[in-house]
Amino acid sequence: MSPTPYLRLAGIGKRYATPVLSDIDLTLNRGEVLALTGENGAGKSTLSKIVAGLIEPSSGEMWLEDAPYRPESRHAAEKLGIRMVMQELSLLPTLSVAENLYLGHLPQRAGFLRTTELNAMAAEHMAAIGLDRIDPRQPVGELGIGHQQMVEIARSLIGNCQLLILDEPTAMLTPHEIDRLFEQIAQLKAKKVSLVYISHRLGEVEAIADRVCVLRDGHHVETRPMAGSSQDDIVRLMVGRDVLASTIRPTLPPAAPLLRVDALSRAPVVQEVSFEVRPGEIFGIAGLVGSGRTELLRLIFGADRADSGAIYLHGEASPTPIPSPQEAVHRGIGMITEDRKSQSLLLDKSIVVNTTLATLNRVTRRGWLKPLRERALTRELADTLDIRCHTLEQAVGELSGGNQQKVVLARWLLRDCDVLLLDEPTRGVDIGARADIYQQMEKMAADGKALVVVSSDLRELMEICDRIGVMSAGRLVKTFPRGEWEQQTLLEAAFSGYSKQAPQQS
Ligand SMILES: Nc1ncnc2c1ncn2[C@@H]1O[C@H](COP(=O)(O)OP(=O)(O)OP(=O)(O)O)[C@@H](O)[C@H]1O
Ligand SMILES: [Mg+2]
């Protein structure tokens, strides 16, 4: 006997300039985890936002426990217990963790914010969900992006929650934090809360979903029980084609390192880090969120100042000072940042503008933009990377998360830099597109460039890197050549620097 569905969708559609969702029928039961998967741009976030009241559907109807459900706003949906943690974080960086958690219902007396009470409430709530290591008084903007994500999730668990939608929640979490999240999900299920879980990580989907729903190009392909479905089955439904396997690159002859980092420090986040990367090499950096990986890349790129240490480029004997990102770019260094929303993309500008941003010299003649050339170059890259868009003039903010990431990559591919620093390059990118991005990275390496990749996805690093350095508590604790690493040894190295401070993490 099938249970009465908690939520029912019939014929849901959404069109902007073109249809992006068509005729979606779906049910969600109480206390189940429904995974929502599909390639970048398939419509997962759009469908979720319709359910969470952020977007109005163009057609179709919804029912909540057999009553018609048509939320007018996010607030209206939240009042009914329907909450969504968005793919892009929506916290206010200058407010404290506690203020972000209780925004909209801050404790007040006679118009004054009761800070002590607020911080105590926040501390209690966070402890209950295993986040007691975050200080509720700290401004959110000072937290690493992984912790910001956890705060965002914590916020959704305050008050009435009947249905929780998590859009790519683990993209920036460490394995330890993911375990914590999964414990939370299990507890919510036990309380008969329904969950929609969006992820490109099929291992996670397999671990926690009861059923899996696959979307492709805005259409519902199939919803089936997770039990009895393999990851390969799901990929086939998602992609409708075979995914390219990445090729093993030939090892290049030994050469002087293109990038050498010598005892680079910025207290307390980066401490005496040294490594080198040769032409043709992909050097991976593993480590927990907060271990100093992003900060290290920022130092190399001149976005922050080092206290001490030096950077040598192109095998030169004397160090190259890199006081600013402009200087880094001038010296042939590119960087793809982990947070595309605030650091990389001009969301209201077109794909063409965003792609050619770092390369204006290739598309300008004596200072005049050559629109045709600009467009042609962008078209070529959009095809290579399979960027799904309506037109190249479309604002980047309208693209799906994974496609935005491809635009960032396209920009640096076009720039043709010698050293490319990539911070979580496939965050939120689907399996097919990931394979495309790996291929591009391998192609760049084969062209003799040096790549440094930070990723929280160990399998990704193990697949594409020649060597992997592991950071822990600000230090590069160990470097493994290909063939000498295993997931377990990498993880042990990542935790090693914290063994005294944080025994619960080992
Ligand atoms: N405001 C908008 N205007 C025009 N098109 C939009 C808008 N928002 C989304 N789209 C389009 O709708 C489609 C579905 O996007 P959506 O963000 O739902 O994809 P997704 O499945 O969540 O992808 P990803 O895995 O990359 O996050 C995309 O082609 C996107 O470009
Ligand atoms: Mg999305």
Side-chain angles (χ1 to χ4, degrees):
M1 189 187 82
S2 62
T4 325
Y6 170 64
L7 176 74
R8 190 151 63 86
L9 273 55
I12 291 291
K14 179 72 191 173
R15 79 173 7 254
Y16 292 103
T18 51
V20 297
L21 278 180
S22 312
D23 208 15
I24 308 283
D25 295 339
L26 196 63
T27 58
L28 181 66
N29 300 318
R30 272 210 173 274
E32 83 164 336
V33 178
L34 177 73
L36 195 53
T37 64
E39 290 183 285
N40 295 133
K44 305 177 296 292
S45 298
T46 306
L47 184 62
S48 305
K49 286 178 187 166
I50 289 174
V51 172
L54 283 101
I55 297 180
E56 221 184 311
S58 313
S59 56
E61 284 173 87
M62 301 189 277
W63 291 267
L64 199 60
E65 300 193 299
D66 282 341
Y69 170 62
R70 211 154 229 263
E72 278 159 15
S73 64
R74 182 177 198 175
H75 187 65
E78 283 183 356
K79 266 175 124 173
L80 294 166
I82 296 183
R83 321 282 291 255
M84 173 167 179
V85 176
M86 311 265 276
Q87 190 169 15
E88 306 291 348
L89 302 180
S90 60
L91 300 170
L92 300 173
T94 54
L95 295 186
S96 73
V97 170
E99 286 162 340
N100 268 287
L101 284 178
Y102 291 95
L103 207 66
H105 32 98
L106 294 168
Q108 293 186 358
R109 178 168 289 169
F112 287 99
L113 180 62
R114 305 185 57 183
T115 315
T116 321
E117 187 182 330
L118 173 69
N119 289 336
M121 274 160 56
E124 190 184 335
H125 176 63
M126 305 232 296
I129 57 174
L131 288 183
D132 32 354
R133 291 177 65 207
I134 300 178
D135 180 355
R137 293 164 302 182
Q138 199 176 2
V140 155
E142 289 175 8
L143 298 178
I145 196 157
H147 280 161
Q148 292 191 21
Q149 179 101 57
M150 295 297 272
V151 170
E152 181 99 41
I153 294 169
R155 183 167 70 172
S156 298
L157 296 176
I158 291 174
N160 178 19
C161 180
Q162 302 295 321
L163 162 58
L164 181 62
I165 303 172
L166 297 166
D167 195 351
E168 284 283 341
T170 58
M172 293 306 297
L173 300 185
T174 62
H176 176 73
E177 289 166 334
I178 293 175
D179 287 346
R180 279 279 160 85
L181 177 66
F182 283 10
E183 283 164 22
Q184 279 305 310
I185 291 177
Q187 285 178 20
L188 290 168
K189 269 185 73 167
K191 290 189 219 155
K192 289 285 170 209
V193 172
S194 309
L195 289 112
V196 173
Y197 190 89
I198 300 177
S199 180
H200 293 297
R201 298 187 180 175
L202 297 181
E204 290 177 5
V205 167
E206 198 172 22
I208 59 161
D210 298 301
R211 289 187 304 148
V212 53
C213 164
V214 179
L215 299 181
R216 193 195 311 152
D217 292 331
H219 294 272
H220 179 238
V221 180
E222 194 177 328
T223 299
R224 53 153 91 184
M226 192 63 236
S229 309
S230 71
Q231 292 190 27
D232 285 345
D233 294 340
I234 299 172
V235 171
R236 229 168 285 124
L237 292 175
M238 270 169 57
V239 186
R241 63 174 161 104
D242 283 332
V243 174
L244 298 168
S246 72
T247 50
I248 304 285
R249 282 172 296 110
T251 30
L252 293 182
L258 257 182
L259 169 71
R260 183 158 76 85
V261 173
D262 185 33
L264 207 58
S265 295
R266 180 181 165 91
V269 283
V270 176
Q271 300 180 41
E272 307 239 337
V273 172
S274 304
F275 67 91
E276 49 184 54
V277 192
R278 288 172 207 290
E281 200 174 26
I282 303 183
F283 182 70
I285 300 182
L288 306 179
V289 171
S291 60
R293 302 168 306 171
T294 294
E295 290 78 5
L296 173 64
L297 295 194
R298 287 176 58 86
L299 290 180
I300 301 172
F301 195 57
D304 293 322
R305 279 295 179 94
D307 301 333
S308 57
I311 292 163
Y312 298 81
L313 294 172
H314 304 288
E316 290 163 0
S318 45
T320 304
I322 304 176
S324 66
Q326 286 81 351
E327 186 60 24
V329 171
H330 179 67
R331 297 279 175 179
I333 304 177
M335 175 153 168
I336 294 179
T337 56
E338 63 176 333
D339 181 0
R340 53 185 174 256
K341 195 172 178 187
S342 68
Q343 293 181 37
S344 303
L345 290 174
L346 305 174
L347 291 178
D348 56 349
K349 293 282 187 296
S350 72
I351 298 171
V352 175
V353 168
N354 274 284
T355 305
T356 51
L357 206 61
T359 327
L360 288 176
N361 58 338
R362 275 184 73 183
V363 288
T364 55
R365 220 172 74 192
R366 298 200 197 96
W368 292 96
L369 281 178
K370 293 185 290 183
L372 284 178
R373 171 118 182 89
E374 204 180 41
R375 201 170 191 291
L377 284 170
T378 308
R379 168 50 56 205
E380 216 176 286
L381 281 163
D383 289 345
T384 316
L385 290 172
D386 197 16
I387 296 175
R388 306 280 170 92
C389 56
H390 179 47
T391 75
L392 293 177
E393 276 65 43
Q394 200 172 356
V396 160
E398 288 179 7
L399 297 184
S400 77
N403 283 300
Q404 291 185 11
Q405 185 67 8
K406 293 190 201 171
V407 174
V408 179
L409 189 67
R411 177 193 295 172
W412 293 108
L413 286 177
L414 190 60
R415 172 81 208 185
D416 199 24
C417 34
D418 297 326
V419 174
L420 188 60
L421 312 171
L422 304 104
D423 197 357
E424 304 285 359
T426 60
R427 179 184 170 204
V429 170
D430 73 51
I431 280 192
R434 239 169 228 246
D436 296 340
I437 290 180
Y438 296 160
Q439 274 211 331
Q440 285 305 317
M441 289 169 63
E442 283 170 355
K443 190 163 162 290
M444 291 178 83
D447 287 347
K449 303 184 187 313
L451 276 68
V452 181
V453 191
V454 164
S455 174
S456 298
D457 187 343
L458 285 179
R459 271 164 308 175
E460 166 166 297
L461 290 180
M462 293 192 285
E463 184 173 337
I464 57 175
C465 295
D466 297 291
R467 286 183 300 137
I468 300 178
V470 183
M471 284 193 77
S472 191
R475 295 184 181 277
L476 193 68
V477 288
K478 205 159 179 190
T479 300
F480 299 83
R482 175 171 277 280
E484 290 182 21
W485 61 59
E486 272 172 48
Q487 186 148 341
Q488 193 52 32
T489 44
L490 290 169
L491 276 175
E492 278 163 16
F495 283 120
S496 63
Y498 300 94
S499 48
K500 287 195 195 74
Q501 293 131 286
Q504 78 269 30
Q505 286 209 336
S506 54

